[in-house]
């Protein structure tokens, strides 16, 4: 069987698996966030942190809780790295330097997992498990909590209360992420991923000589890395490393883990707002973009020219032969259309247009299906904008899910939409205009510009993947990408929660003959068009200087 049919079969199997779990898993998550019951272990945690899980929060209180929890996480992870040299299980690694500690702490707390270091040569067992792995869980739970708060804003009326952050955080972690990640880790171990706390040892090579490798709790971290759309690898090669991703089956399984929560959250949304058809409309939008981008990526990577590429069956540079062009293309689109950033191939080695697809996937705002939570609240913001555009065309006050979209709501949605592009373009321009260290950009010309543009697109969108040709371990890039990650994560959350509070305080508007039916395919088409056009107009000039110039050369 040829490489293209094999890739198509993998895609069909993935779609089938996601469809199989969509309804039961999405409904289960809705029950998790709406149940009045607290588990015993949850009550112990609430008592330990001094939180009352039954106290409702307004959007400013909810936001303060998000920011306070995240600030403590940054400080804890920073100190853990700075003290690594005196911690047990450090494998002889010294403490991480201040700039890189700041960058890494911010990266994992913001669910970005950008890595400017070699994991197997920098982080010991304690930092990997007590620091990075813990943040993989709680940063994902924070995103899901904010998404649920926005959904409550649509579902509730004449109240400013959005639920309780501490309850949402604990439930998302203990009832959703931990059990699913535990099962996934067992599957990965059974398929060959390693799980141990061994020290550094010599490994023989096929061509002679040896190499030093350390073990680690890899399978457990790999599971939550993908499930929580985190992306930070235990090893520098990330999911291209056989210890993390041993076989074609595990490769497809990891893609499933990346997509399962974001896609299933659309069902959760539909159940919580009382209309599962509204959830299907959002799901249809996400699926249309994801499948379209996957097909486009496969087309660019299989459109090979010349005898060498024909002999390899596609553009195989930088790709694992275990996964091939098809598996690598599906993974690349899944990881960049979500806020994951894990890689099973090197995006810098993709064709010029293929690299552009990965960048555009992030530039959409990572909403198809997006990260755990962030994808849902991102596409709901775009739905608000699409409803507003439709209202302008017919001269009617826009409404969505029974809530009027007025001036305040549109200002908040517009601010959300503008924050990330501003961060990406300003930081990229500054890096290109200022004297960047000569050893940072290894490839001059359009590809070098693409590397810098990709880096800040990845950081500001909380993705974390890189083009791999850029040396980002400098004071400039560690600091600037750290700031891009902070602002790119928490500024949008400010506008999301403010919008949720504004919507929750409204009276519901009755459906009339002139109400736009947002559960229909027509609205799905409108939403897809609004996403692509708005993103294209924002980023097209920058894309024309990098991947488009390179791909058309």
């Amino acid at each position: 069987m040829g490489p293209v049919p094999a890739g198509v079969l993998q895609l069909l199997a993935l779609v089938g698996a996601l469809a199989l779990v969509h309804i039961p898993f999405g409904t289960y998550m809705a029950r998790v966030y709406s149940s009045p019951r607290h588990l015993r272990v949850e009550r112990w945690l609430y008592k330990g942190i001094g939180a009352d899980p039954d106290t409702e929060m307004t959007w400013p209180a909810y936001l303060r809780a998000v920011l306070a929890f995240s600030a403590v996480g940054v400080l804890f992870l920073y100190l853990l790295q700075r003290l690594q040299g005196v911690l047990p299980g450090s494998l002889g690694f010294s403490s991480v330097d201040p700039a890189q500690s700041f960058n890494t702490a911010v990266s994992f707390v913001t669910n970005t997992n950008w890595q400017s270091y070699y994991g197997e040569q920098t982080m010991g067992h304690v930092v990997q498990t007590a620091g990075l792995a813990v943040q993989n869980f709680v940063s994902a739970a924070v995103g899901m909590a904010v998404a649920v708060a926005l959904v409550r804003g649509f579902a509730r009326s004449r109240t400013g209360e959005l639920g309780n952050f501490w309850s949402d955080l604990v439930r998302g972690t203990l009832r959703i992420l931990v059990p699913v990640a535990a099962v996934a880790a067992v599957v990965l171990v059974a398929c060959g991923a390693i799980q141990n706390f061994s020290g550094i040892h010599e490994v023989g090579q096929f061509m002679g000589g040896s190499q030093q490798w350390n073990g680690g709790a890899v399978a457990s971290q790999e599971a939550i890395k993908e499930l929580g759309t985190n992306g930070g690898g235990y090893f520098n090669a990330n999911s291209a490393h056989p210890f993390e991703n041993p076989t074609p089956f595990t490769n497809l399984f990891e893609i499933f883990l990346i997509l399962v929560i974001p896609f299933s959250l659309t069902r959760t949304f539909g159940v919580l707002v009382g209309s599962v058809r509204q959830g299907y409309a959002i799901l249809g939008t996400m699926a249309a973009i994801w499948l379209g981008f996957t097909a486009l990526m496969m087309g660019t990577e299989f459109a090979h020219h010349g005898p060498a590429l024909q002999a390899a069956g596609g553009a195989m540079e930088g790709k694992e032969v275990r996964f091939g062009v098809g598996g690598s293309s599906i993974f690349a689109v899944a990881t960049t259309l979500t806020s994951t950033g894990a890689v099973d191939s090197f995006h810098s080695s993709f064709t010029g247009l293929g690299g552009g697809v990965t960048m555009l996937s992030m530039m959409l705002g990572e909403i198809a299906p997006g990260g755990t939570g962030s994808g849902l609240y991102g596409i709901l913001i775009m739905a608000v904008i699409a409803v507003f555009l439709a209202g302008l065309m017919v001269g009617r006050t826009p409404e969505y899910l029974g809530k009027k979209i007025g001036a305040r709501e549109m200002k908040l949605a517009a601010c959300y939409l503008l924050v990330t592009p501003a961060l990406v373009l300003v930081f990229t321009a500054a890096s290109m205009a200022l004297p960047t260290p000569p050893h940072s950009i290894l490839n001059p010309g359009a590809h070098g510009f693409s590397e810098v543009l990709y880096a800040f697109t990845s950081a500001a969108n909380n993705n974390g993947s890189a083009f791999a040709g850029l040396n980002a371990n400098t004071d400039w890039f560690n600091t600037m990408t750290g700031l891009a990650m902070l602002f790119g994560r928490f500024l949008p959350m400010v506008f999301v929660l403010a919008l949720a509070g504004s919507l929750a305080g409204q009276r519901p508007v009755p459906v009339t003959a002139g109400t736009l039916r947002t559960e229909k395919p027509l609205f799905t088409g409108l939403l897809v068009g609004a996403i692509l056009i708005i993103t294209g107009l924002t980023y097209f000039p920058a894309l024309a200087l990098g991947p488009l110039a390179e791909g058309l050369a």
Side-chain angles (χ1 to χ4, degrees):
M1 182 175 291
V4 175
V8 172
L9 287 177
Q10 291 181 59
L11 184 60
L12 291 175
L14 181 61
V15 171
L18 291 170
L20 187 65
V21 303
H22 175 76
I23 292 178
F25 191 38
T27 303
Y28 168 73
M29 288 193 289
R31 291 174 180 167
V32 165
Y33 288 110
S34 58
S35 171
R37 290 183 60 250
H38 303 296
L39 302 180
R40 180 177 298 178
V41 65
E42 293 172 351
R43 291 196 294 267
W44 291 342
L45 286 173
Y46 299 139
K47 186 175 181 180
I49 62 178
D52 181 358
D54 296 314
T55 300
E56 291 280 337
M57 294 180 172
T58 60
W59 79 262
Y62 204 100
L63 176 63
R64 286 195 298 271
V66 169
L67 296 179
F69 178 76
S70 300
V72 171
V74 171
L75 179 61
F76 173 78
L77 190 50
Y78 176 85
L79 293 176
L80 201 62
Q81 293 175 85
R82 296 292 294 137
L83 296 172
Q84 176 174 252
V86 299
L87 293 175
S90 65
L91 300 176
F93 299 146
S94 61
S95 299
V96 185
D97 68 74
Q100 198 167 54
S101 293
F102 164 75
N103 183 278
T104 304
V106 167
S107 176
F108 278 78
V109 171
T110 59
N111 199 245
T112 310
N113 295 46
W114 171 271
Q115 294 174 286
S116 60
Y117 60 88
Y118 295 91
E120 64 268 36
Q121 299 177 12
T122 307
M123 304 297 182
H125 293 321
V126 173
V127 175
Q128 289 275 20
T129 54
L132 306 185
V134 168
Q135 287 303 321
N136 282 347
F137 282 97
V138 295
S139 65
V142 167
M144 295 168 68
V146 173
V148 170
L150 178 58
V151 174
R152 292 192 185 113
F154 284 110
R156 296 180 177 184
S157 60
R158 288 177 289 182
T159 178
E161 297 171 343
L162 301 176
N164 185 282
F165 168 72
W166 304 109
S167 175
D168 293 339
L169 173 73
V170 171
R171 289 182 178 199
T173 303
L174 295 185
R175 300 194 196 183
I176 300 173
L177 296 173
V178 168
V180 178
V183 173
V186 172
V187 172
L188 290 174
V189 170
C191 293
I194 68 169
Q195 181 78 9
N196 56 57
F197 289 100
S198 68
I200 298 175
H201 51 277
E202 296 283 335
V203 177
Q205 296 177 318
F206 287 114
M207 302 300 292
S210 63
Q211 195 172 3
Q212 285 190 335
W213 284 107
N214 56 280
V218 176
S220 57
Q221 187 157 324
E222 189 75 9
I224 187 56
K225 155 190 149 182
E226 312 295 15
L227 180 67
T229 62
N230 296 281
Y234 207 99
F235 301 100
N236 183 56
N238 206 280
S239 291
H241 199 291
F243 287 177
E244 293 192 20
N245 191 6
T247 67
F249 170 78
T250 60
N251 188 63
L252 201 62
F253 180 65
E254 290 184 13
I255 301 172
F256 171 81
L257 291 177
I258 290 172
L259 299 173
V260 65
I261 288 181
F263 272 130
S264 298
L265 276 174
T266 59
R267 172 75 180 186
T268 305
F269 162 69
V271 172
L272 291 179
V273 299
S275 174
V276 293
R277 296 180 68 185
Q278 296 287 350
Y280 286 135
I282 298 299
L283 174 64
T285 303
M286 290 178 170
I289 296 175
W290 172 59
L291 289 172
F293 273 55
T294 302
L296 184 60
M297 176 65 84
M298 283 188 174
T300 60
E301 294 303 302
F302 278 116
H304 43 80
H305 304 283
L309 290 175
Q310 289 176 4
M316 281 298 295
E317 179 189 350
K319 298 181 178 69
E320 276 289 323
V321 294
R322 287 173 292 147
F323 313 136
V325 176
S328 299
S329 297
I330 298 171
F331 199 111
V333 172
T335 196
T336 51
L337 272 177
T338 62
S339 62
T340 310
V343 293
D344 73 345
S345 56
F346 287 97
H347 296 176
S348 185
S349 296
F350 278 37
T351 61
L353 295 178
V357 172
T358 61
M359 267 191 274
L360 185 58
S361 296
M362 293 184 290
M363 290 170 175
L364 291 182
E366 294 175 320
I367 54 178
T372 47
S374 61
L376 180 61
Y377 66 66
I379 202 167
L380 290 178
I381 295 290
M382 289 304 305
V384 167
I385 293 172
V387 166
F388 177 75
L389 294 175
L392 289 179
M393 288 188 281
V394 300
R396 177 183 171 87
T397 302
E399 303 165 8
Y400 186 54
L401 298 178
K403 301 296 177 70
K404 285 187 177 293
I405 307 302
R408 173 178 169 80
E409 288 76 23
M410 275 311 300
K411 288 175 183 177
L412 292 171
C415 288
Y416 174 93
L417 191 66
L418 293 173
V419 164
T420 304
L423 291 171
V424 172
L425 299 176
V426 168
F427 279 121
T428 300
S431 296
M432 298 305 296
L434 296 175
T436 303
H439 58 278
S440 285
I441 300 177
L442 305 180
N443 301 291
H447 196 77
F449 175 79
S450 294
E451 291 173 351
V452 177
L453 177 63
Y454 191 106
F456 285 108
T457 300
S458 176
N461 283 284
N462 302 133
N463 183 273
S465 62
F467 248 22
L470 179 73
N471 175 22
N473 188 19
T474 65
D475 287 344
W476 169 263
F477 281 110
N478 275 328
T479 304
M480 293 301 105
T481 55
L483 293 175
M485 289 184 281
L486 274 176
F487 295 143
R489 176 69 164 179
F490 296 114
L491 280 180
M493 285 185 175
V494 173
F495 302 121
V496 169
L497 291 173
L499 176 62
S502 178
L503 294 170
Q506 292 187 25
R507 295 172 179 265
V509 179
V511 177
T512 66
T515 301
L516 176 65
R517 301 297 297 273
T518 54
E519 78 279 11
K520 298 290 186 178
L522 178 64
F523 179 72
T524 297
L526 173 65
L527 183 53
V528 170
I531 291 168
L532 296 178
I533 291 172
I534 292 173
T535 304
L537 291 175
T538 303
Y539 287 106
F540 183 79
L543 290 170
L545 293 174
L548 287 177
E550 183 183 357
L552 297 174

